Amino acid sequence: MRTPSMNRQTAPQDGRTRTLKTGRRRFLVDTAATVGAMSLGFHIPMAGAQPVGQPPEINAWVVIRPDETVVIRIARSEMGQGTLTGLAQLVAEELECDWARVTTEYPTPGQNLARNRVWGNFSTGGSRGIRESQEYVRKGGAAARMMLVQAAANEWQVAASDCSVANGVIRHAASGRTLSYGKVAGAAGLLTPPKDIPLKDPSTWKIAGKSMKRLDTADKLTGRLVYGIDLQLPGMLNAAIRDCPVFGGKLVSFDAARVSSMPGVKAVLRVDASTVAVVAGTWWQAKTALDALPIVWDEGQHAKASSAGFAEILKAGLDAPDAFVGNKVGDAAAAIAGAARRVEAVYAYPHQNHATMEPMNATVRFTPERCEVWTPTQNGEAALAATAAASGLPPSRCEVYKLPLGGGFGRRGAVHDWVRQAVQIARQLPGTPVKLIWSREEDMMHGLYHPNTQARLVAGLDAAGKVTGLHMRISGQSILASVAPQNLQKGADPVAFQGLTASGDGEIGYTIPNLLVDHAIRNPHVPAGFWRGVNHNQNAVYLECFIDELAHAAGKDPLAFRREMMSRHPKHLAVLEAAARRAGWGTPAPKGVFRGLAQHKGFGSFTAAVAEVSVSAAGELKIHRIVAATDPGHAVNPTQIAHQIEGSFAYGLSACLFGECTVKDGRIEQRNFDTYPVVRMVDMPAVESIVMPSGGFWGGVGEPTIAVAAPAVLNAVFAATGKRVRTLPLKHTDLRRT
Amino acid sequence: MRKLTVNGRIVDVDADDNTPLLWALREQLGLTGTKYGCGVAQCGACTIHLDGAPVRACVLPLSAVGPNQKIVTIEGLSPNGSHPVQKAWLALDVPQCGYCQAGMIMSAAALLAEKPKPTDADIDAGITNICRCGTYNKVRAAIHQVAGSTTGRKA
């Protein structure tokens, strides 16, 4: 029973605004109540007065309340990566407001739709949150500042150019008069927005570029932050769900009568062709009944598929005559054929689950007129589209309220399977809010897995040990074929070549006179998805470990060997040199400790790492220290970037050491963290980060460093043991001294 | 109806004996700060204090909890986030997504109560919670900060 002291703040509901107090700051999830405030659009100069009781919106990005609180609207999702704080810093920098008064709120996808996408793209993936929206959010802040200053100038009947502003206070130097933003916000919101909006030179930044504290920490320390899974609505029921354990299988039947009298059970439902759900008063009751429910499956054509079978299919792709070309320079085959020395290796990278700490969940209230969804999502607009499709209602009659994510990592962005399911359940119980929560087991068995690939690398070296030609054949799964086949380009998946292309966000860092990178698409029936770091993860392992093999074959130091091929890639080289210098590359390591390095460009940023490891006689690996350098062009919050670098090692080393989802009898064998181990405190190395923005471009920070985590460690393992780990995860390799 | 002592108050809980304490806290008492992550005592997101000891509430059935045993959840660790562990977490901006952090904080508070000056080895042994965002080094640094120790490794 609830006691007064235990009353929680209720969840956001239609027609209300929920504010969670976080000491000085407040994190606000706005709902329908703020739609009115937003009707004063950026593009709609208003002649009338502000609606009574609504704080003035200066433009889509900035609301100033009479108490001087500055509300900055954030379109991208915060899932731990710090984008919410970083975007607020960029707006506040141009706005010239008092940072201590800044709070943030999410506009809803429905509001974005109704306002002609005034907030742009909601998608939060590909490390794009800041780099892709930085210009228009800064302009949003700058335009609001110009309008606020103009409003003050109008009141004083002076020229705006004679006014200055700092910390949200506008000053007319000649008369010494001042006005605060809160006093002129109402008038400012009525002005015509400026057309020419100059931005500050980053060298003059005072808020952006600084390591401001995160805006969203306080409620994460007290249990008060309401994640998707925590939402409680009046009259809400809870659902537990089971999809056919074999991908592509069907639900034949279930015996509802066997569980319908169990405690709390309200309904046992077919959700779709392959899925059944139990709806009950509490989730524990729903799960208990689901576990007892007799279910008959038709496991379909993949009922005997296995990881061993996939490996054979991928292996065949290594020799296939046809493949899509991702990068081609000169004639690699001829150069290798004519080389003094030929080096070849085959690598393999497994399926992996994202394993967000918060399992998939969504709460839905469906009526024939309207469908509302509360869910943690990396892409509110995609969640809205999924809601509309599943509900049969037009998007204008649907709404999605984004709730904080307990991890995203790519699982909660491209495909909203859990939202579709939750809507399909709620449609069968109109008017009753239903919260669907996946168990960890359901989450582990029905992910969108890291693609399963292999690669054969063949290189030719000349007599001096220089690379004359390199052929890298990737065989395996296409993410686009799985989640967005409409984006394939004449059958090819350009995303497969991340980190290996001649130019762009993932430009290869080496000049190789004859180069061929190609991809034979081979798709197991296990669905693939975008997994933090995406195809950079395995491509960097393949390339950076093989380059290390070549350096060894040439009898050269791995750093010196790379340097010879990197003179035309100065930014790639700069981060590698910085990491090597800090780590003491070329100087003796502590006794028993060995070093390995790697570099890679991904998501527009240059990254490098040096790992220091030791391996005991019994084969026990210890990763002592990581030095990691990144050049993201501009650094909006250096401390948060360092946190992302550290986190990239936790995620990337989980993949390197342990990460693997295997398939037997068509289904994922792993069920929980006991069979899907990840890095814990005891495994985590010390990480020294070097954040070295060189300016002139904007790169991401949430993902790029993951690419260098595994190869740096694997190259250090080779230095320590002489053993090449070519099939991941490393746990399958016996590192004992023989 | 069963009585529990939660965060200093005696409360009634209407749930089956087999219901894990985690779900009674979340669904009967509305104390959703304690998180579900695995259900099999692997991840530690559900860590609470039972008579001062860190316990994984996802595998503790209500039948195993006596009415006088003192249950403390993240909501009851301090009135307003003022526990030294919470203050250190705030000072170092430890959380990323934050989902595992209630469990981390409860584990850290219990560790520090038992060992006010934990070594790195103590932290490795005492903090077995899973964080997928990768806050481990900040968690370690914050524990050392609470302990006032400077012996911890560079994080």
Side-chain angles (χ1 to χ4, degrees):
Chain A
M1 307 301 300
R2 225 166 244 247
T3 65
S5 70
M6 287 175 176
N7 277 342
R8 306 288 320 282
Q9 282 153 318
T10 54
Q13 294 163 45
D14 193 12
R16 282 205 259 153
T17 297
R18 175 182 61 108
T19 304
L20 298 178
K21 290 187 176 170
T22 66
R24 188 183 71 212
R25 307 193 189 291
R26 298 193 297 179
F27 184 81
L28 188 122
V29 179
D30 64 333
T31 58
T34 50
V35 173
M38 293 184 192
S39 64
L40 304 176
F42 189 61
H43 301 298
I44 314 169
M46 294 290 290
Q50 298 283 343
V52 175
Q54 301 289 0
E57 173 181 295
I58 312 304
N59 59 34
W61 302 100
V62 177
V63 173
I64 310 262
R65 297 201 186 118
D67 68 356
E68 307 291 340
T69 301
V70 177
V71 181
I72 295 177
R73 302 235 178 86
I74 307 293
R76 311 281 176 158
S77 297
E78 175 59 47
M79 49 190 165
Q81 83 282 33
T83 296
L84 179 134
T85 302
L87 288 170
Q89 286 178 257
L90 288 168
V91 174
E93 178 66 53
E94 296 290 345
L95 183 58
E96 293 282 4
C97 63
D98 180 355
W99 177 250
R101 295 179 184 275
V102 167
T103 182
T104 62
E105 67 181 25
Y106 285 152
T108 67
Q111 290 160 355
N112 202 33
L113 188 68
R115 291 180 65 175
N116 198 24
R117 294 191 86 213
V118 66
W119 291 283
N121 192 352
F122 276 35
S123 174
T124 314
S127 297
R128 288 191 301 258
I130 286 178
R131 65 188 170 118
E132 208 175 81
S133 52
Q134 52 83 19
E135 184 171 5
Y136 57 74
V137 304
R138 286 194 290 154
K139 284 188 172 172
R145 181 199 71 236
M146 293 164 77
M147 292 160 77
L148 288 157
V149 171
Q150 184 65 54
N154 290 352
E155 180 158 335
W156 293 327
Q157 298 190 327
V158 301
S161 56
D162 290 337
C163 302
S164 61
V165 60
N167 287 319
V169 178
I170 307 151
R171 180 179 176 82
H172 181 239
S175 64
R177 285 176 291 187
T178 61
L179 274 171
S180 64
Y181 275 1
K183 299 286 190 298
V184 297
L190 307 181
L191 297 174
T192 302
K195 286 196 174 63
D196 182 29
I197 307 168
L199 295 177
K200 292 182 183 181
D201 186 302
S203 65
T204 66
W205 282 351
K206 302 179 297 256
I207 297 171
K210 310 298 179 202
S211 290
M212 313 306 282
K213 301 296 289 295
R214 290 179 68 120
L215 297 172
D216 56 347
T217 297
D219 275 359
K220 293 175 179 173
L221 310 179
T222 58
R224 290 172 71 175
L225 189 64
V226 175
Y227 295 82
I229 200 170
D230 302 329
L231 188 75
Q232 299 184 52
L233 297 180
M236 183 184 83
L237 298 177
N238 288 269
I241 199 162
R242 186 154 300 155
D243 196 349
C244 181
V246 178
F247 306 105
K250 303 279 184 232
L251 171 64
V252 175
S253 63
F254 52 89
D255 187 357
R258 291 274 292 277
V259 303
S260 56
S261 61
M262 289 179 70
V265 172
K266 307 289 185 191
V268 185
L269 305 169
R270 173 182 282 273
V271 180
D272 58 25
S274 65
T275 314
V276 60
V278 175
V279 181
T282 69
W283 187 78
W284 182 254
Q285 291 170 332
K287 182 203 182 287
T288 302
L290 182 65
D291 287 344
L293 180 68
I295 306 172
V296 178
W297 306 108
D298 168 8
E299 296 185 346
Q301 60 173 318
H302 302 297
K304 289 293 157 202
S306 70
S307 289
F310 301 159
E312 288 304 310
I313 294 166
L314 267 55
K315 187 165 176 285
L318 295 176
D319 298 315
D322 293 325
F324 296 106
V325 174
N327 195 350
K328 188 173 190 300
V329 181
D331 186 340
I336 293 164
R341 186 154 178 209
R342 185 178 191 276
V343 181
E344 176 178 333
V346 174
Y347 285 78
Y349 200 88
H351 285 123
Q352 292 174 71
N353 191 293
H354 299 79
T356 60
M357 290 310 298
E358 180 194 25
M360 300 304 110
N361 66 83
T363 303
V364 179
R365 181 162 55 201
F366 174 90
T367 67
E369 293 76 37
R370 187 165 168 77
C371 186
E372 296 170 284
V373 174
W374 292 257
T375 194
T377 171
Q378 292 176 239
N379 187 343
E381 292 181 298
L384 184 67
T387 301
S391 68
L393 293 169
S396 60
R397 290 180 150 205
C398 299
E399 185 58 288
V400 170
Y401 306 106
K402 298 196 298 180
L403 294 180
L405 291 80
F409 312 127
R411 179 62 182 85
R412 294 183 152 113
V415 176
H416 287 77
D417 43 352
W418 75 95
V419 170
R420 174 182 56 74
Q421 291 173 343
V423 171
Q424 286 168 327
I425 294 167
R427 273 186 87 164
Q428 300 181 55
L429 298 161
T432 301
V434 181
K435 175 163 69 176
L436 169 66
I437 303 173
W438 287 18
S439 66
R440 174 60 60 194
E441 290 77 11
E442 187 71 12
D443 199 284
M444 198 62 79
M445 292 182 73
H446 289 284
L448 294 157
Y449 299 85
H450 195 297
N452 177 204
T453 63
Q454 296 181 10
R456 173 185 286 137
L457 298 101
V458 186
L461 298 175
D462 67 13
K466 283 196 182 254
V467 180
T468 57
L470 172 66
H471 178 202
M472 177 171 176
R473 161 62 64 87
I474 302 163
S475 172
Q477 207 157 8
S478 156
I479 298 172
L480 289 188
S482 180
V483 305
Q486 70 278 11
N487 292 342
L488 290 171
Q489 295 178 6
K490 294 179 181 169
D493 180 353
V495 182
F497 301 108
Q498 284 179 314
L500 306 170
T501 52
S503 61
D505 271 3
E507 177 193 351
I508 193 168
Y510 303 110
T511 303
I512 296 169
N514 299 283
L515 174 68
L516 176 62
V517 181
D518 55 9
H519 177 210
I521 294 184
R522 295 291 183 276
N523 290 324
H525 76 294
V526 174
F530 297 101
W531 195 98
R532 189 179 183 188
V534 197
N535 291 305
H536 289 285
N537 299 335
Q538 77 274 17
N539 288 346
V541 168
Y542 300 157
L543 183 63
E544 283 301 284
C545 290
F546 188 65
I547 292 283
D548 219 68
E549 296 203 45
L550 295 179
H552 185 68
K556 295 181 184 177
D557 170 77
L559 175 60
F561 183 76
R562 282 175 170 80
R563 219 183 253 140
E564 289 176 7
M565 298 186 285
M566 296 180 73
S567 61
R568 289 190 216 162
H569 301 88
K571 295 206 174 190
H572 290 80
L573 184 57
V575 291
L576 181 62
E577 298 278 16
R581 199 177 312 118
R582 172 78 67 87
W585 191 268
T587 66
K591 186 172 163 47
V593 173
F594 296 84
R595 296 191 181 114
L597 52 70
Q599 66 81 21
H600 192 82
K601 182 184 181 188
F603 308 98
S605 289
F606 302 87
T607 65
V610 176
E612 292 187 345
V613 313
S614 62
V615 180
S616 72
E620 199 180 341
L621 169 67
K622 175 79 183 167
I623 307 169
H624 299 274
R625 175 191 185 214
I626 299 286
V627 176
T630 185
D631 175 3
H634 292 283
V636 175
N637 188 317
T639 293
Q640 288 307 315
I641 294 173
H643 288 195
Q644 287 307 297
I645 291 171
E646 281 188 19
S648 294
F649 283 94
Y651 211 72
L653 294 179
S654 291
C656 176
L657 303 177
F658 312 119
E660 180 178 44
C661 286
T662 52
V663 172
K664 188 182 175 195
D665 293 336
R667 72 204 71 201
I668 297 293
E669 291 189 277
Q670 288 70 26
R671 295 288 184 276
N672 210 313
F673 290 112
D674 49 352
T675 46
Y676 188 75
V678 298
V679 160
R680 297 180 192 245
M681 180 71 82
V682 69
D683 309 302
M684 184 71 192
V687 177
E688 298 172 33
S689 302
I690 305 167
V691 180
M692 43 187 285
S694 61
F697 64 98
W698 288 78
V701 298
E703 296 171 272
T705 298
I706 294 174
V708 292
V713 166
L714 296 178
N715 291 338
V717 166
F718 173 78
T721 65
K723 293 185 181 180
R724 287 288 176 195
V725 177
R726 299 193 184 94
T727 298
L728 275 76
L730 181 141
K731 68 181 178 187
H732 295 308
T733 303
D734 184 350
L735 296 179
R736 281 178 296 184
R737 244 168 255 161
T738 49
Chain B
M1 204 68 82
R2 162 183 298 280
K3 289 199 184 302
L4 294 175
T5 305
V6 181
N7 297 335
R9 289 177 164 264
I10 296 167
V11 295
D12 293 320
V13 173
D14 181 13
D16 288 357
D17 284 356
N18 293 333
T19 305
L21 177 61
L22 167 66
W23 292 100
L25 292 170
R26 291 179 56 82
E27 301 198 293
Q28 262 79 27
L29 301 175
L31 293 171
T32 54
T34 306
K35 298 298 193 239
Y36 167 68
C38 69
V40 294
Q42 276 285 320
C43 78
C46 65
T47 304
I48 54 102
H49 295 170
L50 187 65
D51 291 333
V55 168
R56 297 199 168 172
C58 71
V59 292
L60 187 68
L62 285 180
S63 58
V65 185
N68 299 320
Q69 286 191 280
K70 291 187 176 62
I71 297 165
V72 175
T73 71
I74 186 70
E75 291 91 345
L77 184 64
S78 70
N80 49 10
S82 60
H83 187 281
V85 169
Q86 290 167 312
K87 285 160 74 175
W89 250 244
L90 187 64
L92 297 184
D93 247 357
V94 171
Q96 289 189 27
C97 89
Y99 191 80
C100 73
Q101 294 292 322
M104 284 280 188
I105 288 168
M106 297 305 283
S107 296
L111 173 67
L112 285 157
E114 193 193 343
K115 295 185 176 176
K117 300 273 184 192
T119 63
D120 279 330
D122 293 333
I123 294 171
D124 288 343
I127 308 295
T128 56
N129 307 50
I130 293 174
C131 169
R132 291 290 279 154
C133 296
T135 60
Y136 297 116
N137 290 346
K138 293 291 165 287
V139 168
R140 185 188 298 280
I143 291 170
H144 283 307
Q145 179 163 312
V146 174
S149 57
T150 54
T151 54
R153 74 185 193 195
K154 187 169 180 180

